[in-house]
Amino acid sequence: LSVLQQKLDTKYEAFRKDFGLLHHVTNKSFFADDVSYNLVCSLEQSFDEKAKVLFEKSPIFTKRTIKPYIEVTHVDTPQEALTMSIAELGRVDLNYMHSLTDLPRDDIVNELRGQIFPVPELSTEDEIVYQDKSEYLSGDIYAKLDIARAAAEKDDLYQFNVEMLERSIPEPLKAGDIDVKLGAAWIEPKIYQQFMYELFDTPHSNREDKFTLWGRKKNITVEYSPHLNAWQINNKSADNSVVSTKKYGTDKMNAYKIMECILNLRDPKVYKTVYEDGKEKRVLDLDATRAVSRKAELIKDQFKNWIFKDADRRNMLVDRYNKLFNGVRPREFDGSKLTFPGMNPDIQLREHQKNAIAHALYGGNTLFAHSVGAGKTFEMIATAMESKRLGLCTKPLFVVPNHLTVQFGDDFSKLYPGANMLVATKKDFEKANRQKFFAKIATGEYDGIIIGHSQLGKIPMSLERQEQFYQSQIDTIIEGIRELKENNGSDFQVKAMERTRKSLEKQLEKLRKTNQDDVITFEEMGVDKLIVDEAHEFKNLFCATKMQNIAGISNSASQKASDLFQKCRYLDEVTNGRGVTFATGTPVSNSITELHTMMRYLEYGFLDQKGLANFDNWVSVFGEQKTQYELAPAGDKFKLRTRIANYTNMPELMTIFKQVADIRTADTLHL
C-alpha cells in the first residue's frame, strides 16, 4: 500500500506543480466533462482556491480510506441470524438465516416466535413471508388486525398475529379526548343533518322523505361530494321560521346558509351594494357579517355540546375516530447493527444518524427533520449507498441546492472514497448538452447522481404519464356521475362533477397539444431513489381549499413543487412507497400547511386512504380556523383575516407524521 501511496503522491505533486490545484477554475473547465473529476478532486481536502494554496491532502495519501468488507458466514443463534438478516438484506430471509446457522427453517421460526411474524397479505401457498416484530407490530394496527383476523379464520398460523396486534393497539381515546368540528369529512352527512333538524327545529314537512301537497320534495338535506370535497344543504330557503332567521340566523343569512358555510370551512360573509362615482360596487357589509359570524360561533358551540350527548352516537363516533386516526403505532428503528461497507473508517456515524438511516432503509419514504448540524448530509449519502448495497435501489438521484452540488460531491467522496458519482454542472443542463447528460444518467452505473434544485424540473415526465394522471381523474368522475344517476343522486353533485370533468378535459387537451422535446424522460432514466436536500424549498405545493383569505395558504401552484410531487407519486408507484427521502432542518417554518405538504409528498397513500389528502379534510380534523378583524394598512377600514390558530387532536397527527419523519432536535441529539 505504501508504494502505491508514494506513487500517487509523486504524480499529484507533479500535476500541481505544472497546473495548480485540481479545484482551480481552469482545471474545472478542462475536466468538466469527465465524470471522475469529483472523485479526483477528493485528493485535496483543505485548500484556498483563490490563493492557490493547499493546506491538507486527503488521508488516502497516508492511510487506508476504504475498509475491506468482511462477510459473516456463521453465527450461533437464530437471534443473531435475525440481526444479520435485517442488517445485510433489510428483511427477514429464512434461507439466509439457515445458511448462517445450519438450523432447519422450522426450528428458526419456532425459536423466534414473537420476534418474527408471518404476513398474510404478502404470503402465498408456496411461500410464507415473515417480518420482524418492529415492522409488523407498527403502522396502521387496525388495518393489519382486520387482515390477520380474516387470515386466522382460514389458518391457525395467524392466530398469534391477532393476539399480538390486539395488544399493540394504541390506548383508545375517550370522547373527552377528541375534538369534533363541523365540516369534518369523516362524519357522515346523516349526523350533521340530524343535528341541523334538532337545533333549527326544522319543520317535519321539510325533513327527509317528506313531500308537499303537490308531490314535490321540499326537503332540507345535507349532502357531501367526495369528488369535490364540498358540502351542500339543499333547499336552504325552505324554512323561514324564527329559529332559522332570528335565533341562529339573521334576516341577511338564515341558519342553513350559515351552517353550509361552516361545513365548507368558509367564513359566512354578507355583502351590500354601494355607489361610487355613479357606479355600483359590491362591498363587505361589516355589521351584517359580524352578526352572522356570532351566529356561526353559536352554532359551532351547540354542535360541540350535542355531538357526544347521545350514548349510541358517541360510542360509534369514538370507535370510528380511533380506527381512523388513533390506530397508528410508530416503528422504532435501530441502526446499531448496520455495517456500512465501503465507508471511510475514520468517520464514525453517531447513534441518531444510524437510527435515521435505518428508518430510511426499512421504513419507506422518510423525512430527516433534524436540526442544523445534526449530520443530514452523511445520512442521505449513507442511505443511498446502503439502499444500493441491500438491493433496495439501483440508481439514487440527489437533488441539492444549486450552489452546493460540488460541495455535496466532495462530502460524498469523503464518506465513501470509492464511490462512483456523477455531479451535474450548469453546462450539463444547457439545451445543447441536456440530451447527452440525460443519456449518461440512463446508461451509466452510478452510486449517486447529484443535480441542483432547478435542474430537476428540466428532467421531464413522459407525456403518457401526464395524460394518464388527468385521464384517471376524468374516469373516476365519470364513474361517480354514473353511480349518482343510477341512485337518483342530487343535481348539485352531478352538475358540479360535470363542471370538474370539463375542466380536466380542457387541461388534458392542452397537454396533448404540447410539443415536448425528444429527450429522455424521468421514467426512462431508471432512477428509483430520489433524495432531496433542503426539501422546504419545495413547500409551495398547490393546495386546493375552500377556505378564503387564510394566512399561509397559497392557491397558486409552484411549478417546481408540482413537478417534484408528480415524480414522488411515480416513485411511490414503482417502489411501493419506499423511493423518496427528504431532508430539512425546517419542515415547518411559517404555516401548518407546510406539515400537510410534507405528508402529501411522503405518505400520500396513507392520507388518501384515511380521507386526509385534501387540506380541508385534514385541517377539519387537526386544526381550527379563527377569524379576526384587522385594520387595513391604510388605517381607514377593517378587513377579515383568518388563521389556523388552534391545533386539536395533535398527538394523533404527530403519530401519523412520525411514520415518515425522523425528528431530531438539538435537545435530543446531545451534541
Side-chain angles (χ1 to χ4, degrees):
L1 182 63
S2 60
V3 174
L4 293 175
Q5 288 171 331
Q6 186 176 359
K7 185 177 180 180
L8 173 64
D9 188 68
T10 301
K11 287 183 175 293
Y12 171 74
E13 289 298 339
F15 177 89
R16 186 160 69 97
K17 180 179 179 181
D18 292 338
F19 305 105
L21 295 174
L22 288 165
H23 281 86
H24 191 271
V25 63
T26 304
N27 290 325
K28 284 182 183 179
S29 64
F30 280 116
F31 293 121
D33 294 330
D34 192 327
V35 296
S36 300
Y37 174 61
N38 283 276
L39 179 60
V40 176
C41 276
S42 65
L43 294 174
E44 299 170 343
Q45 181 150 322
S46 178
F47 55 89
D48 186 332
E49 185 178 331
K50 292 183 178 180
K52 303 179 182 180
V53 176
L54 176 68
F55 299 127
E56 185 181 1
K57 296 178 185 178
S58 167
I60 197 173
F61 287 95
T62 58
K63 63 177 71 173
R64 183 185 293 276
T65 58
I66 301 177
K67 186 177 181 180
Y69 174 61
I70 301 174
E71 182 180 1
V72 176
T73 58
H74 181 78
V75 295
D76 296 326
T77 66
Q79 183 61 55
E80 291 174 328
L82 174 61
T83 301
M84 290 301 303
S85 181
I86 298 297
E88 295 299 313
L89 303 179
R91 65 184 186 279
V92 177
D93 189 314
L94 291 178
N95 291 329
Y96 174 73
M97 295 163 68
H98 163 70
S99 70
L100 292 177
T101 60
D102 294 327
L103 294 173
R105 287 169 50 112
D106 290 344
D107 289 355
I108 294 174
V109 171
N110 291 333
E111 183 71 24
L112 294 176
R113 177 179 169 83
Q115 295 297 311
I116 62 174
F117 291 84
V119 186
E121 62 268 33
L122 300 179
S123 300
T124 63
E125 293 182 2
D126 299 326
E127 182 182 9
I128 297 175
V129 176
Y130 288 84
Q131 290 178 349
D132 76 304
K133 178 181 179 180
S134 68
E135 181 174 7
Y136 187 70
L137 300 182
S138 62
D140 192 340
I141 301 298
Y142 283 107
K144 290 185 177 182
L145 185 56
D146 289 340
I147 296 172
R149 283 171 174 165
E153 292 179 358
K154 301 176 182 178
D155 191 337
D156 290 339
L157 174 67
Y158 300 106
Q159 187 58 46
F160 185 61
N161 291 36
V162 174
E163 296 173 10
M164 295 303 294
L165 285 169
E166 288 176 341
R167 297 180 189 178
S168 301
I169 294 174
E171 183 179 353
L173 297 174
K174 298 179 181 179
D177 303 318
I178 302 171
D179 187 17
V180 182
K181 291 176 287 296
L182 270 170
W186 64 277
I187 303 290
E188 294 181 351
K190 292 284 187 183
I191 293 177
Y192 290 137
Q193 186 170 288
Q194 185 61 36
F195 165 71
M196 178 181 70
Y197 287 164
E198 292 184 20
L199 184 65
F200 302 158
D201 196 19
T202 304
H204 287 279
S205 59
N206 295 123
R207 299 190 181 191
E208 196 166 17
D209 298 328
K210 299 296 181 180
F211 294 82
T212 65
L213 294 175
W214 296 276
R216 293 181 302 170
K217 279 190 174 183
K218 286 292 183 182
N219 301 338
I220 303 176
T221 57
V222 177
E223 293 185 49
Y224 176 72
S225 172
H227 297 285
L228 302 172
N229 186 43
W231 294 92
Q232 167 84 358
I233 297 180
N234 299 306
N235 299 312
K236 293 181 285 292
S237 301
D239 177 14
N240 294 315
S241 65
V242 173
V243 175
S244 170
T245 59
K246 300 295 182 183
K247 186 174 182 179
Y248 293 108
T250 70
D251 56 348
K252 300 289 186 179
M253 183 180 291
N254 71 17
Y256 299 96
K257 294 179 181 178
I258 295 174
M259 182 169 166
E260 186 180 74
C261 288
I262 299 171
L263 287 172
N264 286 297
L265 306 182
R266 292 197 305 261
D267 294 314
K269 296 178 182 179
V270 178
Y271 292 87
K272 62 182 178 181
T273 301
V274 298
Y275 292 88
E276 291 184 3
D277 300 326
K279 295 182 180 180
E280 289 187 0
K281 186 178 180 181
R282 193 166 175 262
V283 299
L284 184 70
D285 188 331
L286 199 56
D287 292 334
T289 297
R290 282 174 175 162
V292 297
S293 294
R294 288 193 292 269
K295 301 297 183 181
E297 291 301 319
L298 179 59
I299 293 171
K300 291 178 184 178
D301 291 340
Q302 291 293 334
F303 179 75
K304 288 183 178 181
N305 296 331
W306 176 87
I307 188 64
F308 289 135
K309 195 172 184 179
D310 179 80
D312 291 338
R313 181 172 63 242
R314 178 176 63 249
N315 293 336
M316 183 270 292
L317 290 177
V318 168
D319 183 62
R320 179 170 173 77
Y321 182 90
N322 276 306
K323 287 185 176 180
L324 281 173
F325 310 119
N326 189 44
V328 173
R329 181 174 290 279
R331 183 179 175 184
E332 295 293 330
F333 295 93
D334 180 8
S336 61
K337 302 302 181 182
L338 292 174
T339 55
F340 304 107
M343 183 180 289
N344 189 337
D346 288 341
I347 298 177
Q348 297 297 320
L349 298 181
R350 303 189 183 199
E351 180 184 358
H352 76 270
Q353 291 177 300
K354 293 180 180 180
N355 292 341
I357 295 165
H359 191 158
L361 293 175
Y362 310 141
N365 292 346
T366 304
L367 168 65
F368 295 146
H370 296 188
S371 57
V372 176
K376 294 188 292 294
T377 299
F378 281 178
E379 290 170 3
M380 289 183 283
I381 296 168
T383 292
M385 294 295 285
E386 281 294 283
S387 294
K388 192 169 183 182
R389 183 180 73 85
L390 297 174
L392 302 177
C393 79
T394 58
K395 191 175 292 185
L397 175 67
F398 294 84
V399 183
V400 305
N402 293 349
H403 64 287
L404 294 180
T405 53
V406 174
Q407 180 181 323
F408 198 93
D410 290 343
D411 289 335
F412 207 126
S413 297
K414 185 184 300 182
L415 188 62
Y416 284 90
N420 180 27
M421 294 175 297
L422 177 62
V423 181
T425 65
K426 186 177 180 180
K427 182 180 177 182
D428 288 323
F429 275 84
E430 292 176 357
K431 192 169 185 180
N433 303 321
R434 204 175 301 166
Q435 183 75 343
K436 180 180 177 182
F437 183 74
F438 291 174
K440 282 184 182 179
I441 297 176
T443 60
E445 279 289 334
Y446 301 104
D447 295 320
I449 302 158
I450 304 168
I451 66 173
H453 281 177
S454 63
Q455 294 167 337
L456 178 65
K458 295 179 181 178
I459 305 177
M461 299 294 293
S462 66
L463 284 175
E464 292 77 14
R465 178 162 291 276
Q466 294 181 64
E467 287 182 4
Q468 180 185 355
F469 175 75
Y470 286 112
Q471 190 61 54
S472 63
Q473 295 181 75
I474 293 170
D475 293 342
T476 300
I477 290 176
I478 291 174
E479 178 62 22
I481 293 173
R482 184 188 65 77
E483 291 178 1
L484 281 172
K485 289 182 176 179
E486 287 181 356
N487 297 317
N488 297 317
S490 71
D491 290 339
F492 152 70
Q493 292 195 52
V494 172
K495 290 179 180 179
M497 290 172 69
E498 287 284 4
R499 288 194 298 270
T500 304
R501 178 183 63 82
K502 290 178 181 178
S503 174
L504 288 170
E505 287 176 343
K506 286 182 180 180
Q507 294 180 58
L508 179 59
E509 186 64 27
K510 182 180 179 181
L511 176 66
R512 286 171 174 167
K513 293 179 180 179
T514 301
N515 292 321
Q516 182 170 301
D517 294 338
D518 186 20
V519 298
I520 298 173
T521 63
F522 185 80
E523 300 99 302
E524 294 171 328
M525 289 181 177
V527 171
D528 54 1
K529 189 75 172 179
L530 183 64
I531 302 176
V532 183
D533 189 20
E534 304 296 348
H536 60 272
E537 295 290 340
F538 296 85
K539 67 183 179 182
N540 291 324
L541 182 63
F542 174 72
C543 179
T545 177
K546 302 184 297 292
M547 294 186 286
Q548 302 171 355
N549 197 31
I550 297 290
I553 294 181
S554 172
N555 290 326
S556 59
S558 161
Q559 180 60 41
K560 74 174 186 177
S562 299
D563 175 74
L564 176 61
F565 180 68
Q566 196 170 140
K567 290 180 169 90
C568 288
R569 295 304 316 280
Y570 162 72
L571 287 172
D572 281 348
E573 181 181 320
V574 299
T575 67
N576 194 27
R578 303 177 67 89
V580 183
T581 300
F582 281 6
T584 174
T586 53
V588 178
S589 56
N590 297 316
S591 169
I592 196 67
T593 59
E594 296 166 24
L595 181 59
H596 184 249
T597 296
M598 287 295 173
M599 296 175 76
R600 286 173 66 199
Y601 276 127
L602 298 173
E603 51 183 332
Y604 186 87
F606 181 88
L607 291 181
D608 190 48
Q609 178 190 3
K610 299 296 183 181
L612 299 174
N614 181 278
F615 176 74
D616 290 352
N617 289 351
W618 183 82
V619 82
S620 69
V621 177
F622 302 116
E624 184 175 351
Q625 61 192 90
K626 289 290 184 181
T627 301
Q628 299 173 322
Y629 291 91
E630 296 182 355
L631 192 64
D636 56 347
K637 59 181 179 180
F638 285 90
K639 64 176 182 178
L640 286 173
R641 187 64 166 173
T642 306
R643 302 179 186 278
I644 308 300
N646 296 332
Y647 309 118
T648 57
N649 306 323
M650 282 300 285
E652 297 86 81
L653 171 59
M654 292 311 298
T655 298
I656 294 171
F657 185 50
K658 285 180 180 178
Q659 288 190 110
V660 293
D662 193 276
I663 303 173
R664 310 279 171 171
T665 64
D667 292 337
T668 63
L669 294 177
H670 305 294
L671 297 180

Short mmCIF file of all heavy atoms in Angstrom, two decimals, residues 111-151:
data_model
loop_
_atom_site.label_atom_id
_atom_site.label_comp_id
_atom_site.label_asym_id
_atom_site.label_seq_id
_atom_site.Cartn_x
_atom_site.Cartn_y
_atom_site.Cartn_z
N GLU A 111 -38.00 -20.84 17.28
CA GLU A 111 -37.11 -20.16 18.23
C GLU A 111 -37.40 -18.66 18.28
O GLU A 111 -37.27 -18.02 19.33
CB GLU A 111 -35.66 -20.41 17.85
CG GLU A 111 -34.64 -19.82 18.81
CD GLU A 111 -34.58 -20.55 20.13
OE1 GLU A 111 -34.97 -21.74 20.17
OE2 GLU A 111 -34.15 -19.93 21.12
N LEU A 112 -37.80 -18.11 17.15
CA LEU A 112 -38.02 -16.65 17.05
C LEU A 112 -39.50 -16.27 17.16
O LEU A 112 -39.89 -15.17 16.77
CB LEU A 112 -37.46 -16.13 15.72
CG LEU A 112 -35.94 -16.21 15.57
CD1 LEU A 112 -35.52 -15.74 14.17
CD2 LEU A 112 -35.24 -15.37 16.63
N ARG A 113 -40.31 -17.15 17.70
CA ARG A 113 -41.73 -16.84 17.89
C ARG A 113 -41.86 -15.59 18.76
O ARG A 113 -41.29 -15.50 19.85
CB ARG A 113 -42.44 -18.01 18.55
CG ARG A 113 -43.92 -17.75 18.85
CD ARG A 113 -44.54 -18.99 19.48
NE ARG A 113 -45.87 -18.75 20.02
CZ ARG A 113 -47.00 -18.77 19.32
NH1 ARG A 113 -46.95 -19.03 18.02
NH2 ARG A 113 -48.17 -18.54 19.89
N GLY A 114 -42.61 -14.64 18.27
CA GLY A 114 -42.74 -13.36 18.97
C GLY A 114 -41.74 -12.33 18.49
O GLY A 114 -41.91 -11.13 18.74
N GLN A 115 -40.70 -12.77 17.77
CA GLN A 115 -39.72 -11.86 17.18
C GLN A 115 -39.96 -11.67 15.69
O GLN A 115 -39.63 -10.63 15.13
CB GLN A 115 -38.31 -12.39 17.41
CG GLN A 115 -37.89 -12.44 18.86
CD GLN A 115 -37.85 -11.07 19.51
OE1 GLN A 115 -37.27 -10.13 18.96
NE2 GLN A 115 -38.49 -10.94 20.66
N ILE A 116 -40.51 -12.69 15.06
CA ILE A 116 -40.89 -12.59 13.65
C ILE A 116 -42.33 -13.06 13.50
O ILE A 116 -42.82 -13.87 14.28
CB ILE A 116 -39.95 -13.41 12.73
CG1 ILE A 116 -40.03 -14.90 13.07
CG2 ILE A 116 -38.53 -12.89 12.82
CD1 ILE A 116 -39.24 -15.77 12.11
N PHE A 117 -43.02 -12.53 12.48
CA PHE A 117 -44.43 -12.84 12.27
C PHE A 117 -44.69 -13.13 10.80
O PHE A 117 -44.18 -12.43 9.92
CB PHE A 117 -45.31 -11.65 12.71
CG PHE A 117 -45.32 -11.41 14.19
CD1 PHE A 117 -44.32 -10.67 14.79
CD2 PHE A 117 -46.33 -11.95 14.98
CE1 PHE A 117 -44.32 -10.45 16.15
CE2 PHE A 117 -46.33 -11.73 16.35
CZ PHE A 117 -45.33 -10.98 16.94
N PRO A 118 -45.51 -14.16 10.50
CA PRO A 118 -45.92 -14.39 9.12
C PRO A 118 -46.88 -13.28 8.68
O PRO A 118 -47.75 -12.86 9.44
CB PRO A 118 -46.63 -15.75 9.19
CG PRO A 118 -47.13 -15.84 10.60
CD PRO A 118 -46.11 -15.11 11.44
N VAL A 119 -46.72 -12.80 7.47
CA VAL A 119 -47.52 -11.68 6.97
C VAL A 119 -48.53 -12.21 5.97
O VAL A 119 -48.16 -12.58 4.85
CB VAL A 119 -46.62 -10.61 6.32
CG1 VAL A 119 -47.46 -9.38 5.94
CG2 VAL A 119 -45.49 -10.21 7.26
N PRO A 120 -49.81 -12.29 6.32
CA PRO A 120 -50.80 -12.92 5.44
C PRO A 120 -50.97 -12.25 4.09
O PRO A 120 -51.13 -12.91 3.08
CB PRO A 120 -52.10 -12.86 6.27
CG PRO A 120 -51.86 -11.82 7.32
CD PRO A 120 -50.40 -11.84 7.59
N GLU A 121 -50.89 -10.91 4.06
CA GLU A 121 -51.12 -10.20 2.79
C GLU A 121 -49.95 -10.35 1.82
O GLU A 121 -50.09 -10.07 0.62
CB GLU A 121 -51.42 -8.72 3.03
CG GLU A 121 -50.32 -7.93 3.70
CD GLU A 121 -50.44 -7.88 5.20
OE1 GLU A 121 -50.93 -8.88 5.80
OE2 GLU A 121 -50.06 -6.85 5.79
N LEU A 122 -48.78 -10.77 2.32
CA LEU A 122 -47.62 -10.95 1.45
C LEU A 122 -47.32 -12.42 1.16
O LEU A 122 -46.54 -12.72 0.25
CB LEU A 122 -46.38 -10.31 2.10
CG LEU A 122 -46.43 -8.81 2.38
CD1 LEU A 122 -45.13 -8.36 3.05
CD2 LEU A 122 -46.68 -8.02 1.11
N SER A 123 -47.93 -13.32 1.91
CA SER A 123 -47.62 -14.74 1.78
C SER A 123 -48.50 -15.41 0.72
O SER A 123 -49.58 -14.92 0.38
CB SER A 123 -47.82 -15.45 3.13
OG SER A 123 -46.97 -14.89 4.12
N THR A 124 -48.01 -16.54 0.22
CA THR A 124 -48.75 -17.36 -0.74
C THR A 124 -48.77 -18.80 -0.23
O THR A 124 -48.18 -19.12 0.80
CB THR A 124 -48.09 -17.32 -2.13
OG1 THR A 124 -46.77 -17.89 -2.04
CG2 THR A 124 -47.97 -15.88 -2.63
N GLU A 125 -49.44 -19.66 -0.96
CA GLU A 125 -49.48 -21.07 -0.58
C GLU A 125 -48.10 -21.70 -0.63
O GLU A 125 -47.79 -22.62 0.12
CB GLU A 125 -50.44 -21.83 -1.49
CG GLU A 125 -51.91 -21.43 -1.31
CD GLU A 125 -52.82 -22.25 -2.19
OE1 GLU A 125 -52.30 -23.15 -2.91
OE2 GLU A 125 -54.04 -22.03 -2.16
N ASP A 126 -47.26 -21.18 -1.53
CA ASP A 126 -45.93 -21.76 -1.72
C ASP A 126 -44.89 -21.19 -0.77
O ASP A 126 -43.89 -21.85 -0.46
CB ASP A 126 -45.46 -21.56 -3.16
CG ASP A 126 -46.38 -22.23 -4.15
OD1 ASP A 126 -46.93 -23.29 -3.82
OD2 ASP A 126 -46.57 -21.68 -5.26
N GLU A 127 -45.08 -19.95 -0.33
CA GLU A 127 -44.06 -19.30 0.50
C GLU A 127 -44.70 -18.38 1.52
O GLU A 127 -45.57 -17.56 1.19
CB GLU A 127 -43.08 -18.50 -0.37
CG GLU A 127 -41.97 -17.85 0.43
CD GLU A 127 -41.04 -17.01 -0.44
OE1 GLU A 127 -41.37 -16.82 -1.63
OE2 GLU A 127 -40.01 -16.55 0.07
N ILE A 128 -44.28 -18.52 2.76
CA ILE A 128 -44.73 -17.64 3.84
C ILE A 128 -43.67 -16.57 4.05
O ILE A 128 -42.50 -16.87 4.28
CB ILE A 128 -44.97 -18.42 5.14
CG1 ILE A 128 -46.07 -19.46 4.94
CG2 ILE A 128 -45.34 -17.47 6.27
CD1 ILE A 128 -46.29 -20.36 6.14
N VAL A 129 -44.09 -15.31 3.98
CA VAL A 129 -43.19 -14.18 4.16
C VAL A 129 -43.27 -13.71 5.60
O VAL A 129 -44.37 -13.55 6.15
CB VAL A 129 -43.55 -13.03 3.20
CG1 VAL A 129 -42.67 -11.82 3.45
CG2 VAL A 129 -43.42 -13.48 1.75
N TYR A 130 -42.12 -13.49 6.21
CA TYR A 130 -42.06 -13.06 7.61
C TYR A 130 -41.52 -11.63 7.71
O TYR A 130 -40.73 -11.19 6.87
CB TYR A 130 -41.15 -13.99 8.43
CG TYR A 130 -41.76 -15.35 8.69
CD1 TYR A 130 -41.66 -16.36 7.75
CD2 TYR A 130 -42.42 -15.61 9.89
CE1 TYR A 130 -42.22 -17.63 7.98
CE2 TYR A 130 -42.98 -16.87 10.14
CZ TYR A 130 -42.87 -17.86 9.17
OH TYR A 130 -43.43 -19.09 9.41
N GLN A 131 -41.96 -10.93 8.75
CA GLN A 131 -41.43 -9.62 9.09
C GLN A 131 -41.02 -9.64 10.56
O GLN A 131 -41.59 -10.40 11.36
CB GLN A 131 -42.47 -8.51 8.87
CG GLN A 131 -42.78 -8.22 7.41
CD GLN A 131 -43.84 -7.15 7.25
OE1 GLN A 131 -44.50 -6.76 8.21
NE2 GLN A 131 -43.99 -6.66 6.02
N ASP A 132 -40.04 -8.78 10.90
CA ASP A 132 -39.64 -8.74 12.30
C ASP A 132 -40.67 -7.96 13.11
O ASP A 132 -41.52 -7.25 12.58
CB ASP A 132 -38.24 -8.13 12.44
CG ASP A 132 -38.23 -6.64 12.28
OD1 ASP A 132 -38.70 -6.16 11.23
OD2 ASP A 132 -37.77 -5.94 13.18
N LYS A 133 -40.57 -8.11 14.42
CA LYS A 133 -41.56 -7.55 15.34
C LYS A 133 -41.74 -6.05 15.17
O LYS A 133 -42.86 -5.54 15.16
CB LYS A 133 -41.14 -7.88 16.78
CG LYS A 133 -42.03 -7.32 17.86
CD LYS A 133 -41.49 -7.69 19.25
CE LYS A 133 -42.36 -7.11 20.36
NZ LYS A 133 -41.82 -7.48 21.70
N SER A 134 -40.63 -5.32 15.04
CA SER A 134 -40.72 -3.86 14.97
C SER A 134 -41.49 -3.41 13.73
O SER A 134 -42.16 -2.38 13.76
CB SER A 134 -39.32 -3.24 14.97
OG SER A 134 -38.63 -3.54 13.76
N GLU A 135 -41.40 -4.18 12.65
CA GLU A 135 -42.10 -3.80 11.42
C GLU A 135 -43.55 -4.23 11.45
O GLU A 135 -44.45 -3.45 11.11
CB GLU A 135 -41.41 -4.42 10.21
CG GLU A 135 -42.06 -4.05 8.88
CD GLU A 135 -41.30 -4.55 7.68
OE1 GLU A 135 -40.31 -5.31 7.87
OE2 GLU A 135 -41.67 -4.20 6.54
N TYR A 136 -43.80 -5.48 11.88
CA TYR A 136 -45.17 -5.99 11.80
C TYR A 136 -46.09 -5.34 12.83
O TYR A 136 -47.25 -5.05 12.54
CB TYR A 136 -45.18 -7.51 11.97
CG TYR A 136 -46.54 -8.10 11.73
CD1 TYR A 136 -47.08 -8.13 10.44
CD2 TYR A 136 -47.32 -8.60 12.78
CE1 TYR A 136 -48.35 -8.65 10.21
CE2 TYR A 136 -48.58 -9.12 12.56
CZ TYR A 136 -49.09 -9.14 11.26
OH TYR A 136 -50.35 -9.64 11.04
N LEU A 137 -45.59 -5.11 14.03
CA LEU A 137 -46.43 -4.55 15.10
C LEU A 137 -46.34 -3.03 15.14
O LEU A 137 -46.32 -2.41 16.20
CB LEU A 137 -46.04 -5.16 16.45
CG LEU A 137 -46.18 -6.67 16.57
CD1 LEU A 137 -45.80 -7.13 17.97
CD2 LEU A 137 -47.59 -7.12 16.21
N SER A 138 -46.28 -2.41 13.97
CA SER A 138 -46.27 -0.95 13.87
C SER A 138 -47.10 -0.56 12.65
O SER A 138 -47.56 -1.41 11.90
CB SER A 138 -44.83 -0.42 13.73
OG SER A 138 -44.23 -0.92 12.55
N GLY A 139 -47.27 0.75 12.46
CA GLY A 139 -48.09 1.22 11.34
C GLY A 139 -49.55 1.24 11.71
O GLY A 139 -49.93 1.42 12.88
N ASP A 140 -50.42 1.03 10.73
CA ASP A 140 -51.87 1.06 10.94
C ASP A 140 -52.31 -0.28 11.54
O ASP A 140 -52.57 -1.25 10.83
CB ASP A 140 -52.58 1.32 9.61
CG ASP A 140 -54.06 1.64 9.80
OD1 ASP A 140 -54.61 1.31 10.86
OD2 ASP A 140 -54.67 2.23 8.88
N ILE A 141 -52.40 -0.33 12.86
CA ILE A 141 -52.66 -1.59 13.56
C ILE A 141 -54.05 -2.13 13.24
O ILE A 141 -54.22 -3.34 13.03
CB ILE A 141 -52.51 -1.41 15.08
CG1 ILE A 141 -51.08 -0.93 15.42
CG2 ILE A 141 -52.81 -2.70 15.81
CD1 ILE A 141 -49.99 -1.89 15.03
N TYR A 142 -55.05 -1.27 13.17
CA TYR A 142 -56.40 -1.74 12.90
C TYR A 142 -56.51 -2.39 11.52
O TYR A 142 -57.17 -3.42 11.36
CB TYR A 142 -57.40 -0.59 13.01
CG TYR A 142 -57.74 -0.20 14.42
CD1 TYR A 142 -57.24 0.97 14.97
CD2 TYR A 142 -58.56 -1.00 15.22
CE1 TYR A 142 -57.55 1.34 16.28
CE2 TYR A 142 -58.87 -0.64 16.52
CZ TYR A 142 -58.37 0.53 17.05
OH TYR A 142 -58.67 0.89 18.34
N ALA A 143 -55.85 -1.80 10.52
CA ALA A 143 -55.87 -2.38 9.18
C ALA A 143 -55.21 -3.75 9.17
O ALA A 143 -55.72 -4.70 8.56
CB ALA A 143 -55.19 -1.44 8.20
N LYS A 144 -54.07 -3.87 9.85
CA LYS A 144 -53.38 -5.16 9.91
C LYS A 144 -54.21 -6.18 10.69
O LYS A 144 -54.21 -7.38 10.36
CB LYS A 144 -52.01 -4.98 10.56
CG LYS A 144 -51.01 -4.21 9.70
CD LYS A 144 -49.63 -4.17 10.36
CE LYS A 144 -48.62 -3.47 9.45
NZ LYS A 144 -47.26 -3.45 10.02
N LEU A 145 -54.90 -5.70 11.72
CA LEU A 145 -55.70 -6.61 12.54
C LEU A 145 -56.86 -7.19 11.74
O LEU A 145 -57.17 -8.38 11.87
CB LEU A 145 -56.21 -5.86 13.77
CG LEU A 145 -56.97 -6.67 14.82
CD1 LEU A 145 -56.13 -7.85 15.32
CD2 LEU A 145 -57.37 -5.78 15.99
N ASP A 146 -57.49 -6.38 10.92
CA ASP A 146 -58.59 -6.88 10.07
C ASP A 146 -58.09 -7.99 9.14
O ASP A 146 -58.76 -9.01 8.95
CB ASP A 146 -59.20 -5.74 9.26
CG ASP A 146 -59.99 -4.77 10.12
OD1 ASP A 146 -60.39 -5.17 11.24
OD2 ASP A 146 -60.21 -3.62 9.68
N ILE A 147 -56.91 -7.76 8.55
CA ILE A 147 -56.34 -8.76 7.64
C ILE A 147 -55.97 -10.03 8.40
O ILE A 147 -56.25 -11.16 7.95
CB ILE A 147 -55.10 -8.19 6.92
CG1 ILE A 147 -55.50 -7.01 6.02
CG2 ILE A 147 -54.40 -9.26 6.10
CD1 ILE A 147 -54.31 -6.26 5.43
N ALA A 148 -55.37 -9.87 9.57
CA ALA A 148 -54.95 -11.03 10.36
C ALA A 148 -56.15 -11.85 10.83
O ALA A 148 -56.11 -13.10 10.84
CB ALA A 148 -54.11 -10.57 11.55
N ARG A 149 -57.22 -11.20 11.24
CA ARG A 149 -58.41 -11.93 11.69
C ARG A 149 -59.02 -12.74 10.55
O ARG A 149 -59.43 -13.90 10.75
CB ARG A 149 -59.43 -10.94 12.25
CG ARG A 149 -59.09 -10.44 13.65
CD ARG A 149 -60.01 -9.31 14.09
NE ARG A 149 -59.76 -8.93 15.47
CZ ARG A 149 -60.21 -7.80 16.03
NH1 ARG A 149 -60.91 -6.93 15.29
NH2 ARG A 149 -59.95 -7.53 17.30
N ALA A 150 -59.07 -12.13 9.36
CA ALA A 150 -59.61 -12.85 8.21
C ALA A 150 -58.73 -14.06 7.87
O ALA A 150 -59.24 -15.14 7.55
CB ALA A 150 -59.71 -11.92 7.00
N ALA A 151 -57.40 -13.88 7.97
CA ALA A 151 -56.48 -14.99 7.67
C ALA A 151 -56.57 -16.08 8.73
O ALA A 151 -56.47 -17.27 8.42
CB ALA A 151 -55.06 -14.46 7.57
#
